[in-house]
Amino acid sequence: MTHTRLSAIALAFACLCGSTAAFAADPVGCGKADALRIRGDVPAAISFDVYRQLRPLNAQRVALFQAAGEVKRLPDGLAVCEIADDGVDDPSAVLVRAPEGSNAWWVSAANVQVAD
């Protein structure tokens, strides 16, 4: 069984058991240079326009966009892949893809770190 398949199984099992240990798994399909980890719970925006509207962070704005499905919370330690060619020249924002799901999410550059 491949490493990617084992990581996916471990992630699914840990989610069912309520464990955060699954977040230590390598992101699926990342090159080593693109592997990042979320630092601190962070609101992630589905588009750069929504990301800009969240700044400065405001709990009421985050809640409204979250209810509309435009924002979701990415938990501390989650392994993600950076989408390097995001088409936006803003060093404060990083476009990432989580191992589960097909959407890309904008997060603050201050809330990501290079994966170990």
Side-chain angles (χ1 to χ4, degrees):
M1 193 172 286
T2 67
H3 176 69
T4 302
R5 180 78 175 139
L6 287 173
S7 293
I9 291 169
L11 178 63
F13 180 74
C15 288
L16 289 173
C17 295
S19 170
T20 59
F23 299 135
D26 292 333
V28 177
C30 274
K32 188 143 181 99
D34 299 327
L36 299 174
R37 196 162 306 285
I38 297 296
R39 180 176 46 209
D41 292 344
V42 61
I46 193 75
S47 73
F48 184 72
D49 291 338
V50 171
Y51 170 83
R52 280 195 328 211
Q53 291 179 46
L54 292 176
R55 304 288 174 239
L57 280 178
N58 172 305
Q60 188 176 27
R61 258 188 253 142
V62 170
L64 288 172
F65 282 115
Q66 196 166 7
E70 297 290 316
V71 168
K72 79 179 211 172
R73 185 185 64 83
L74 297 181
D76 183 33
L78 178 68
V80 295
C81 298
E82 180 179 7
I83 299 174
D85 186 14
D86 58 31
V88 173
D89 189 23
D90 183 346
S92 72
V94 177
L95 185 60
V96 299
R97 181 177 47 85
E100 74 287 341
S102 58
N103 291 333
W105 299 92
W106 287 97
V107 297
S108 171
N111 289 101
V112 294
Q113 65 189 32
V114 175
D116 299 332

